[in-house]
Amino acid sequence: MSLRVMLSTLRRQRLLPALVLLQVAVACAILCNVLFLLWHQLQPMVAPSGVDERGLILIDQLSGDRVWTAPEVRATEAMLRAVPGVRAATAADGLPMVTAEIYVLGLQGPSGAKAGVNAYVGEGLGQLLGVKLVAGRLFSPADYRDEGAKWGVPEPIVITRALARRLFGAASALGQLLHRPDALQGPGYQVVGVVDHLLRNQLGWAVDGKADNTVLLPERVGATPSMSFAVRVDPDHQALAMREIGKAIAAHFADAMQAGMTPQVGSFADRRDAAFRSRRAAAWLFFAVATTVLAVTVIGIMGLTGFWVQRRTRQIGIRRALGARRSQVLREFMLENALIVGAGALLGMALGYAGNLWLMRFYELQRLPWEWLPVGAVAMLLVGQLSAIVPAREAARVPPVVATRSV
Amino acid sequence: MLMYYLGLARRSLRRSPVLTGLMVLAISLGIGASMTMITVLHVMTDDPLPGRSAQLYTPHLDPLPLDYKRHEGSPDPADDLTWPDAMALLKAHRAVRQAAMSGGSLLLRPARADLHPIYVSGRYATAEFFPMFGVPFERGGGWSAADDATGSPVLVLADALARKLFGTSDAVGQTVRLGEHDFRVIGVTADWAPKPLFYADQTGTQYSDADLFFLPLSVAMDQKFPVSGNQSAWGKGRSPSLTSANMSWLQFWAQLDTPAQVAAYRQYLVDYSAQQKALGRFQRPPRNAKLYGLMGWLAHENLVPGDVDLQLWLALGFLFVCMLNIVALLLAKFLRRGGEISVRRALGARRRDIFVQFGIESALIGVAGGVLGLGIAQLGLWSIRQRPDDYARLAQMDLSMLLGTVVLAVLASVLAGLLPAWRACRVQPALQLKGG
């Protein structure tokens, strides 16, 4: 049957195909948006952390009833290093997956490209985290100065590959200077090394290629109201080491700790789990919405195609009697479905984009990138074809003898 | 006649159980999803102080320098008041009642040996806090303006904390050690925790917090008690203290009973700002001073998280898909019965009768979908309560929401049945009979 004939059939019975089309359009619009939101939640969760996760223990919220002095911080580092199983420990300001303390920095490259980054600071922190260097070097002990010290000369900085591309384009980042946008005349920062990945700890911003907006700075943590540490332990005895660290902290601080505050000691995996809890819940919700939208669409299309087939049983029988093959009948129904659902999906793409723009006027919402539109449309087409298979096969089974009966 | 139609509808639905099941499932999914989100929004946009909220206002000044630039995502310093401004507004006493307040978390060392020291969060406030917000008391009462002035170490406990510390015995008159100071309990509030905690600093978790104690702001200042919430400082100079004119941290509420009082207070705020500008303290236009009503303040602070709003839109869109789905399925179902319709029409049924008959059939599907949707909505609310978000545990359905669900379901399916029923009643009896 030619396309022209098929279209004229559809024209004669307009209402039902129009309803399917409308339903597919709205479902497709919702699906595009929900899939995009789902991806937005998933992005930070699938971004590589860039650190050696096994055997990494993170400690934070070690708060006293006053500000800890720098010697107290050094003493705590020494105490942690002495715990059996600990290979290295350093006080840090800003740690991956630790969202309670955040060090934010604005950076501007020579071309004027800007990036808001999270800094991780602490003596030997890069080596301890186990970041993968792709160019240059990490800091040497001579590089470090106390946090808050005046530099006067460009401060060395280690950035990530993604950040280097954003700030310097194709040019090599090594040796280049970066400035804070509010201190363009100052000495700024000089890139000494580039690492493969390092996930920022403002996880809500770790989307749209900004997951690796992270830098390392050669600063030693000094006086602080709340201490954080990164500890590297024997990965085979991580649980044991963690217990020992907990005991050592309790013994070391005894009653110097602020009552009611419990220091958080957790493996990287624990911290990751906690940091993503809310995000995971949201992702599940969006996933559930996406699947129910698809399920309802399947219900609708199946029911209607079934009705369609039943209505046209006589017509199919005549066509079969006139020599149409089963495969032709099957193909015809599938094609018809693809035509209706395809038109609905096209309309849905426009609707989804418009809906997103409209919602953006009222809510802090990301613009729906146009690449997401075909994703929803293709999903709709596939679902449409899948749900048409059963009724279409039923149509193909209609025997030619039906033509001779009156229904 | 109604019973006859109901019987017909039941018979017709039972004839095609799969199609009926699908329709009920579709409408219940749509209803369940949208009612889940509507319920969450309903509990979150509820009036925190019914009956009083219309008289409560919060004044806001703009003491920021002209060149002050707010960082993206950081709170607006002008949302809170500085100590000098709050004290000036208190002293001027232009409202019926007014109070300045701030949150704080203090270490409580219970006298009972079996209780460990705990951190409790509460509020430092001035005397009119209690009559203004209409805080109900189980025993005793609040403190007086004289207590504020002299800095008396008096304390009001929330009933939960009083029960924890003193069991069933009377807490009033007892001594409680907060921080390093002894306080005399003068009142115990009855169960009182507005949701959201509208008068608290907006950086907190306002849906899960409640104040466990209240003590005079002057005492907190004298004893240098720690203050929780946002403290925004601006300008250059030495590090700001709580009494600095360039650090905002206090919340302020006023009770204004008549529109005239509201207008007068608004004018007073502008005049005060103009005066401060003349003194060189404020730099921005005095018209920046604002007076928000309680519900207006909640809207300004946008306490409903964006994701809840967004999920509501998604759910409503989803309900729309489900309704379209049902329109199509019902249409298919009704049109299939052309023969039956034409026989009935030929036997004298009016178009209206056919219309009512099919309308009842769709309503029946709606009732079934509503009941199932209620279950799905409960499941959805349960899953929201499992979420770690601040508002999650509020997600409960009340009676009005329960009824609303069923009404919405019936309404949606009757609405969805309109077009198919109309199409069905236009069937030409003669044509169908011949064709059959």
Side-chain angles (χ1 to χ4, degrees):
Chain A
M1 191 156 65
S2 76
L3 209 62
R4 205 164 48 82
V5 178
M6 192 181 292
L7 281 175
S8 82
T9 319
L10 287 177
R11 250 206 306 279
R12 220 158 350 116
Q13 279 283 348
R14 263 182 306 226
L15 192 56
L16 273 180
L19 280 172
V20 176
L21 194 142
L22 197 59
Q23 187 191 341
V24 167
V26 179
C28 176
I30 294 180
L31 197 67
C32 291
N33 279 290
V34 168
L35 286 178
F36 171 60
L37 288 171
L38 175 64
W39 170 236
H40 212 74
Q41 296 294 333
L42 284 178
Q43 262 179 311
M45 293 165 71
V46 296
S49 69
V51 305
D52 182 5
E53 299 178 9
R54 287 189 67 238
L56 182 59
I57 288 174
L58 304 170
I59 304 168
D60 81 317
Q61 289 175 33
L62 259 168
S63 313
D65 28 26
R66 59 188 167 79
V67 172
W68 304 109
T69 63
E72 278 174 324
V73 176
R74 297 285 91 73
T76 315
E77 276 180 338
M79 177 276 288
L80 286 171
R81 284 184 197 124
V83 174
V86 170
R87 291 175 178 171
T90 184
D93 192 356
L95 282 171
M97 297 298 163
V98 175
T99 50
E101 271 160 56
I102 282 161
Y103 188 149
V104 189
L105 199 65
L107 288 177
Q108 184 169 345
S111 64
K114 284 184 207 167
V117 303
N118 294 141
Y120 295 160
V121 158
E123 202 163 9
L125 187 60
Q127 289 87 341
L128 193 147
L129 290 176
V131 293
K132 202 173 133 222
L133 202 60
V134 290
R137 62 180 178 87
L138 292 177
F139 307 124
S140 61
D143 285 328
Y144 286 91
R145 297 197 188 178
D146 285 332
E147 206 176 359
K150 283 252 176 287
W151 280 79
V153 292
E155 179 176 352
I157 190 170
V158 169
I159 63 177
T160 59
R161 211 150 41 97
L163 210 48
R165 208 167 29 245
R166 175 174 292 231
L167 293 169
F168 304 110
S172 164
L174 288 185
Q176 299 247 42
L177 287 182
L178 288 169
H179 288 90
R180 290 213 314 267
D182 57 346
L184 287 174
Q185 303 311 318
Y189 304 89
Q190 184 168 35
V191 179
V192 299
V194 179
V195 298
D196 196 18
H197 288 290
L198 190 53
L199 184 60
R200 68 191 306 176
N201 56 356
Q202 271 180 313
L203 293 168
W205 294 84
V207 290
D208 305 332
K210 290 185 289 194
D212 272 343
N213 277 18
T214 320
V215 301
L216 292 167
L217 291 174
E219 295 173 17
R220 204 177 292 118
V221 176
T224 171
S226 174
M227 293 190 276
S228 318
F229 295 92
V231 182
R232 174 65 62 190
V233 301
D234 184 348
D236 296 327
H237 303 103
Q238 183 172 303
L240 183 67
M242 215 150 77
R243 267 200 304 281
E244 291 296 324
I245 289 171
K247 268 191 257 172
I249 289 176
H252 183 79
F253 289 101
D255 29 64
M257 287 297 299
Q258 197 177 3
M261 289 288 273
T262 16
Q264 301 292 310
V265 181
S267 68
F268 188 85
D270 298 341
R271 282 316 186 86
R272 185 193 165 83
D273 194 54
F276 286 143
R277 192 167 297 143
S278 173
R279 204 162 275 283
R280 218 167 19 234
W284 272 114
L285 180 95
F286 290 135
F287 179 73
V289 172
T291 33
T292 27
V293 165
L294 286 176
V296 168
T297 314
V298 169
I299 292 177
I301 295 177
M302 270 176 104
L304 284 173
T305 321
F307 168 72
W308 212 224
V309 171
Q310 207 175 3
R311 275 223 126 177
R312 287 194 280 181
T313 308
R314 221 169 115 82
Q315 186 203 32
I316 299 165
I318 293 170
R319 284 183 29 73
R320 290 275 284 126
L322 289 178
R325 272 180 293 176
R326 286 189 170 186
S327 64
Q328 275 176 321
V329 175
L330 184 80
R331 215 168 39 230
E332 179 191 318
F333 272 92
M334 298 304 277
L335 189 62
E336 194 178 272
N337 172 277
L339 223 62
I340 298 174
V341 175
L346 270 180
L347 188 63
M349 289 202 281
L351 210 61
Y353 198 69
N356 174 259
L357 285 184
W358 182 71
L359 283 178
M360 263 175 56
R361 287 173 51 193
F362 304 102
Y363 308 111
E364 280 176 35
L365 203 66
Q366 299 286 322
R367 176 186 289 275
L368 179 69
W370 67 266
E371 302 95 288
W372 280 93
L373 296 171
V375 175
V378 167
M380 274 292 146
L381 264 181
L382 284 179
V383 163
Q385 291 285 291
L386 270 177
S387 39
I389 283 181
V390 177
R393 281 170 64 116
E394 214 162 280
R397 269 201 299 271
V398 171
V401 72
V402 167
T404 61
R405 292 189 202 136
S406 66
V407 188
Chain B
M1 210 58 195
L2 186 70
M3 289 319 287
Y4 173 63
Y5 285 150
L6 272 176
L8 271 184
R10 216 179 40 135
R11 209 170 315 158
S12 138
L13 292 177
R14 279 170 83 179
R15 214 165 11 206
S16 49
V18 178
L19 195 62
T20 308
L22 287 180
M23 281 192 278
V24 170
L25 188 67
I27 196 126
S28 61
L29 279 175
I31 293 290
S34 35
M35 281 317 287
T36 304
M37 290 329 294
I38 291 173
T39 304
V40 169
L41 207 67
H42 170 74
V43 295
M44 296 189 74
T45 49
D46 235 7
D47 191 337
L49 278 188
R52 266 180 196 274
S53 55
Q55 279 86 46
L56 293 174
Y57 291 83
T58 178
H60 289 271
L61 302 169
D62 194 352
L64 297 170
L66 283 174
D67 58 358
Y68 182 85
K69 268 211 281 300
R70 185 148 66 108
H71 288 289
E72 198 181 340
S74 67
D76 186 356
D79 277 351
D80 299 320
L81 291 187
T82 64
W83 173 261
D85 290 330
M87 289 306 117
L89 294 192
L90 269 185
K91 210 177 213 170
H93 211 282
R94 295 297 181 98
V96 181
R97 291 182 177 119
Q98 53 252 293
M101 62 209 77
S102 178
S105 187
L106 292 174
L107 185 64
L108 189 153
R109 296 184 204 276
R112 274 168 57 185
D114 57 328
L115 290 176
H116 289 291
I118 45 168
Y119 262 89
V120 287
S121 59
R123 201 129 313 257
Y124 315 139
T126 54
E128 286 178 339
F129 179 93
F130 302 101
M132 179 171 69
F133 289 151
V135 182
F137 280 89
E138 215 164 68
R139 284 165 189 285
W143 58 83
S144 65
D147 288 323
D148 273 338
T150 56
S152 318
V154 291
L155 184 69
V156 169
L157 292 179
D159 59 338
L161 186 58
R163 245 198 321 280
K164 183 168 181 180
L165 294 177
F166 304 107
T168 51
S169 58
D170 191 358
V172 173
Q174 302 269 18
T175 302
V176 171
R177 197 163 176 77
L178 268 178
E180 299 304 323
H181 302 273
D182 285 332
F183 284 85
R184 184 167 50 86
V185 177
I186 57 165
V188 177
T189 68
D191 185 25
W192 186 76
K195 298 240 177 290
L197 208 56
F198 65 93
Y199 58 78
D201 173 80
Q202 62 283 353
T203 51
T205 50
Q206 303 199 319
Y207 288 97
S208 49
D209 282 356
D211 285 326
L212 291 176
F213 69 83
F214 304 87
L215 58 86
L217 182 62
S218 54
V219 178
M221 291 298 281
D222 289 346
Q223 309 295 354
K224 299 198 164 28
F225 279 160
V227 171
S228 61
N230 184 42
Q231 298 174 12
S232 301
W234 56 87
K236 294 188 172 62
R238 62 201 161 73
S239 64
S241 68
L242 288 181
T243 51
S244 304
N246 62 344
M247 185 162 91
S248 64
W249 59 283
L250 282 159
Q251 290 78 51
F252 195 97
W253 285 86
Q255 180 184 338
L256 300 164
D257 293 337
T258 65
Q261 287 174 355
V262 173
Y265 203 86
R266 200 164 264 144
Q267 188 56 44
Y268 163 67
L269 289 177
V270 174
D271 293 345
Y272 175 81
S273 300
Q275 179 207 352
Q276 293 297 313
K277 195 176 177 191
L279 290 172
R281 225 193 101 212
F282 286 10
Q283 297 179 2
R284 300 196 179 188
R287 291 266 156 214
N288 279 9
K290 287 198 177 64
L291 189 63
Y292 294 96
L294 201 165
M295 295 315 277
W297 173 243
L298 295 185
H300 170 76
E301 282 302 310
N302 204 1
L303 284 178
V304 176
D307 58 336
V308 172
D309 255 357
L310 190 67
Q311 283 159 23
L312 178 71
W313 279 109
L314 281 177
L316 287 179
F318 182 56
L319 178 62
F320 186 60
V321 172
C322 292
M323 277 177 68
L324 279 176
N325 198 12
I326 291 167
V327 173
L329 291 179
L330 279 178
L331 194 64
K333 194 166 165 50
F334 292 170
L335 288 184
R336 213 180 283 187
R337 281 152 59 191
E340 176 197 324
I341 298 165
S342 28
V343 169
R344 289 204 58 215
R345 291 273 283 126
L347 290 177
R350 285 165 301 173
R351 282 195 173 158
R352 215 182 57 198
D353 298 324
I354 307 283
F355 191 79
V356 170
Q357 182 198 338
F358 286 117
I360 285 176
E361 196 170 322
S362 356
L364 207 61
I365 292 172
V367 172
V371 172
L372 192 59
L374 215 55
I376 292 177
Q378 295 297 347
L379 206 69
L381 287 172
W382 174 83
S383 76
I384 283 184
R385 283 198 292 276
Q386 308 307 308
R387 290 180 65 164
D389 294 312
D390 170 34
Y391 59 82
R393 60 189 196 86
L394 278 181
Q396 301 269 9
M397 241 187 207
D398 54 14
L399 188 67
S400 63
M401 280 286 135
L402 282 174
L403 290 175
T405 308
V406 179
V407 170
L408 183 67
V410 175
L411 212 68
S413 60
V414 168
L415 215 62
L418 281 184
L419 177 72
W422 180 70
R423 283 293 293 232
C425 74
R426 275 175 21 128
V427 164
Q428 295 294 328
L431 223 82
Q432 283 288 332
L433 283 175
K434 255 189 265 167

